[in-house]
């Protein structure tokens, strides 16, 4: 295990998030390798940690004032043992190759858990959509796709959205792909409903995160009725996580963006959620504005001098981090436990640091890692691909029921894998072992490629 970590670190010393994601998987799948000598002989860890293909490219585009900008584009095609590469695109100034590789690596195991036939990939750019006009975002998306289109296809690699890439960006990207390839195919998921999108895709990640959490609560004969919840982020995943918690009778106390967070003792109800959706998706404003409309709530700006996030220090029963990686550190997880939190379901990818996860698991918190809890998004993307290839569209209830069944099945799979290896109700170990075993067996079946 140490050997593989040294190799991964030596090869790409600066890719910290990638090392973190690999370390977690490598540590938890050790008992699987111990039981199966063939895995060791076939060097499966070396193979699975090296992307099948990495594409990096220049994205030149012009702003509304005629200034030229050059961003960097990425697509990491990590593993295609289970199907075409599948995973989102992230547009955020923090994006670099290490972040895209960590996301692609996580995606491989997540997609494996969904029960659908999808390999793993991820992409994006260090472009910052914040403060850009629609025309600038369109020109950027077109320039990005002018290169990406030659590497993707409905049976090769099917990107979707992630941070900074929502319905607007998917529309511009799809338009350019269609023009360049002269084909109308299901090459992207998260499309608008009237041109190939699936019902429930926008909701899927958030709903799925809550369905998974509800399954965890059931193991303790509990449910969401009257549970108080801390949610971070205010984008796609946070919005639909909030919606589903409300539907199941819970109360959401917080919501945030990268500048600060809102604490609303009365709870964020449907009307307030609609205001947030209008504010973030249409006006593209800041969450701080919430308190102008609802003065009963309190806004706290991010304080870079603090070594913890006060959002996680409020009293609550459950926490759903839905913003970004490493947003809950060791101190935050201690605060969560002190505040009474007994369940954490990760809407975001890798939002808890490894030290934070250790504390949560040690203290018996029901902890669902992102690769299991937020797999609903990619699962419904898989259903969107299926509908596209049949040229059909399923009704809302049908997609939602399938999503529910998939989340139930992922929950069961994690529990079974964890108990098979004597780890009890450890969802982290269960998700990694189950996701890993399926991919590795497919890789071995397909030979040394
Ligand atoms: P959005 O862009 O819709 O929203 C992201 C939210 O997180 C915004 O509120 C944003 O604030 C906040 N945020 C982003 N970066 C940071 C940061 N560095 N510090 C603090 N806050 C930050 O993205 P999504 O909701 O789609 O994605 C959220 C998370 O969920 C990501 O980890 C993503 O990988 C994961 N995920 C998303 C899926 C999907 O289907 N969309 C599927 C599975 C996982 P601001 O507005 O200030 O930028």
């Amino acid at each position: 295990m140490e050997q593989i970590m040294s190799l991964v670190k030596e090869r790409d010393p600066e890719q910290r998030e990638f090392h973190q994601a690999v370390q977690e998987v490598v540590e938890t799948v050790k008992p699987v390798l111990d039981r199966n000598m063939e895995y060791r002989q076939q060097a499966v860890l070396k193979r699975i940690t090296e992307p099948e293909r990495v594409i990096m490219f220049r994205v030149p585009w012009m702003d509304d004032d005629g200034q030229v900008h050059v961003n960097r584009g990425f697509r990491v095609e990590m593993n295609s043992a289970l199907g075409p590469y599948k995973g989102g695109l992230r547009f955020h100034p923090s994006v670099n190759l290490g972040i895209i590789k960590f996301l692609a690596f996580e995606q491989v195991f997540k997609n494996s858990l969904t029960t659908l036939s999808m390999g793993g990939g991820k992409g994006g750019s260090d472009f910052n959509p914040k403060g850009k006009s629609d025309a600038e975002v369109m020109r950027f998306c077109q320039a990005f796709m002018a290169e990406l289109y030659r590497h993707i296809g409905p049976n090769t690699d099917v990107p979707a959205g992630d941070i900074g890439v929502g319905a607007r960006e998917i529309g511009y990207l799809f338009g350019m792909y269609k023009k360049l390839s002269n084909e109308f195919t299901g090459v992207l998921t998260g499309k608008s409903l009237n041109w190939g999108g699936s019902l429930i895709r926008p909701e899927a990640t958030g709903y799925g995160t809550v369905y998974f959490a509800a399954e965890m609560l059931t193991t303790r004969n509990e449910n969401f009725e009257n549970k108080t919840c801390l949610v971070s982020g205010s984008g796609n995943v946070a919005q639909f996580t909030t919606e589903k918690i409300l539907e199941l009778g819970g109360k959401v106390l917080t919501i945030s963006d990268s500048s600060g967070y809102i604490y609303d003792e009365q709870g964020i109800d449907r009307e307030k959620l609609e205001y947030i959706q209008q504010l973030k998706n249409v006006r593209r404003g800041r969450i701080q504005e919430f308190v102008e409309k609802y003065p009963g709530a309190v806004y706290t700006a991010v304080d870079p001098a603090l070594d913890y996030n006060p959002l996680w220090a409020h009293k609550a029963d459950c926490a759903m981090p839905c913003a970004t990686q490493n947003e809950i550190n060791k101190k935050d997880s201690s605060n969560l436990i002190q505040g009474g939190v007994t369940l954490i379901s990760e809407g975001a990818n890798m939002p808890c640091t490894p030290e934070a996860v250790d504390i949560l698991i040690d203290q018996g918190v029901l902890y669902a890692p992102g690769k299991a809890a937020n797999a609903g998004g990619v699962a419904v993307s898989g259903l969107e691909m299926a509908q596209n290839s049949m040229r059909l569209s399923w009704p809302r209830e049908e997609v939602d029921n399938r999503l529910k069944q998939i989340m139930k099945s992922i929950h069961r799979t994690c529990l079974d894998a964890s108990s098979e290896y004597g780890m009890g109700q450890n969802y982290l170990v269960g998700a990694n072992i189950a996701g890993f075993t399926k991919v590795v067996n497919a890789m071995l079946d397909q030979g040394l490629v």
Side-chain angles (χ1 to χ4, degrees):
M1 302 299 141
E2 276 156 27
Q3 234 178 336
I4 186 75
M5 280 320 299
S6 315
L7 179 73
V8 166
K9 287 180 181 169
E10 261 166 41
R11 275 200 171 148
D12 301 293
E14 74 295 347
Q15 296 178 355
R16 277 179 297 113
E17 289 83 359
F18 181 58
H19 304 162
Q20 185 182 330
V22 171
Q23 175 106 35
E24 180 207 285
V25 170
V26 163
E27 275 172 5
T28 47
V29 300
K30 186 174 175 300
V32 182
L33 295 173
D34 291 343
R35 269 196 202 176
N36 193 327
M37 277 319 287
E38 197 192 356
Y39 288 176
R40 284 190 195 277
Q41 283 153 4
Q42 294 287 335
V44 293
L45 286 180
K46 262 191 201 165
R47 288 159 66 184
I48 211 166
T49 50
E50 189 62 20
E52 289 179 14
R53 189 178 297 115
V54 172
I55 302 149
M56 265 176 75
F57 48 99
R58 177 174 74 190
V59 190
W61 60 281
M62 195 174 274
D63 68 21
D64 291 344
D65 299 325
Q67 295 284 324
V68 171
H69 299 265
V70 178
N71 284 98
R72 208 169 246 191
F74 302 91
R75 186 74 185 164
V76 172
E77 297 181 336
M78 198 77 198
N79 194 301
S80 60
L82 296 180
Y85 308 106
K86 182 88 199 84
L89 297 172
R90 175 177 291 191
F91 292 169
H92 192 272
S94 64
V95 162
N96 57 41
L97 185 56
I99 288 189
I100 299 297
K101 268 176 73 179
F102 118 64
L103 290 164
F105 185 71
E106 290 277 296
Q107 194 79 44
V108 172
F109 306 105
K110 181 188 308 193
N111 293 4
S112 159
L113 288 170
T114 63
T115 69
L116 305 173
S117 168
M118 296 181 289
K122 199 86 186 188
S125 172
D126 56 1
F127 172 72
N128 186 0
K130 234 173 265 168
K132 304 288 188 300
S133 68
D134 283 352
E136 287 173 330
V137 170
M138 182 181 74
R139 285 197 292 278
F140 176 80
C141 288
Q142 291 179 339
F144 184 83
M145 190 51 88
E147 174 58 35
L148 187 68
Y149 89 98
R150 69 189 88 245
H151 307 289
I152 61 177
N155 297 310
T156 315
D157 184 352
V158 185
D162 191 76
I163 292 178
V165 178
R168 172 183 61 168
E169 291 75 17
I170 293 290
Y172 295 147
L173 290 163
F174 183 82
M176 193 63 178
Y177 179 86
K178 180 168 63 80
K179 186 178 173 77
L180 292 171
S181 63
N182 195 27
E183 261 189 355
F184 193 113
T185 56
V187 70
L188 289 160
T189 57
K191 301 185 289 296
S192 277
L193 268 184
N194 52 358
W195 48 271
S198 173
L199 284 157
I200 301 287
R201 176 60 190 92
E203 295 89 339
T205 308
Y207 279 16
T209 301
V210 182
Y211 289 149
F212 195 96
E215 287 298 307
M216 293 200 291
L217 287 174
T218 307
T219 67
R220 294 191 178 170
N221 296 320
E222 293 179 39
N223 60 39
F224 267 103
E225 200 65 48
N226 297 322
K227 288 264 186 307
T228 49
C229 304
L230 306 175
V231 173
S232 65
S234 51
N236 171 273
V237 181
Q239 290 172 18
F240 290 108
T241 293
T242 301
E243 185 169 287
K244 189 50 77 179
I245 293 171
L246 296 182
E247 225 175 278
L248 299 185
K251 183 172 175 184
V252 175
L253 300 173
T254 61
I255 199 102
S256 71
D257 64 17
S258 53
S259 311
Y261 80 94
I262 299 292
Y263 178 77
D264 189 337
E265 204 176 5
Q266 299 305 311
I268 293 164
D269 59 17
R270 277 176 185 286
E271 183 206 310
K272 292 173 185 171
L273 176 61
E274 268 173 38
Y275 170 82
I276 292 167
Q277 290 176 320
Q278 184 73 16
L279 171 70
K280 295 307 275 188
N281 310 349
V282 182
R283 287 199 282 126
R284 298 184 190 276
R286 307 304 298 157
I287 203 68
Q288 179 169 15
E289 291 175 42
F290 185 92
V291 289
E292 290 163 21
K293 173 91 176 156
Y294 300 103
V298 180
Y299 175 73
T300 307
V302 168
D303 177 354
L306 291 181
D307 63 351
Y308 67 98
N309 181 349
L311 187 159
W312 305 122
H314 290 283
K315 277 203 169 75
D317 301 309
C318 310
M320 274 80 172
C322 298
T324 193
Q325 63 272 3
N326 294 330
E327 54 171 314
I328 295 183
N329 64 21
K330 201 171 150 184
K331 196 157 180 185
D332 294 318
S333 65
S334 300
N335 287 341
L336 283 165
I337 291 164
Q338 261 177 23
V341 164
T342 56
L343 177 149
I344 297 199
S345 189
E346 295 185 340
N349 284 310
M350 210 168 74
C352 297
T353 65
E355 299 77 23
V357 174
D358 286 347
I359 293 177
L360 298 171
I361 293 179
D362 269 5
Q363 296 297 313
V365 169
L366 288 171
Y367 164 74
K371 61 171 79 73
N374 71 36
V378 72
V380 175
S381 275
L383 302 180
E384 182 173 330
M385 287 162 73
Q387 294 169 79
N388 289 166
S389 52
M390 293 186 290
R391 301 201 189 284
L392 290 175
S393 85
W394 293 329
R396 192 180 162 86
E397 300 68 43
E398 178 164 357
V399 184
D400 196 22
N401 276 333
R402 284 178 189 255
L403 170 63
K404 243 181 249 168
Q405 290 315 316
I406 290 171
M407 297 315 296
K408 260 182 193 251
S409 143
I410 297 176
H411 178 264
R412 175 50 42 209
T413 302
C414 293
L415 278 187
D416 289 350
S418 168
S419 65
E420 189 189 334
Y421 283 84
M423 297 296 290
Q425 196 175 2
N426 186 324
Y427 293 96
L428 176 73
V429 169
N432 284 340
I433 288 183
F436 176 84
T437 310
K438 188 171 167 197
V439 177
V440 163
N441 287 341
M443 287 169 71
L444 295 184
D445 288 347
Q446 292 166 24
L448 200 52
V449 290

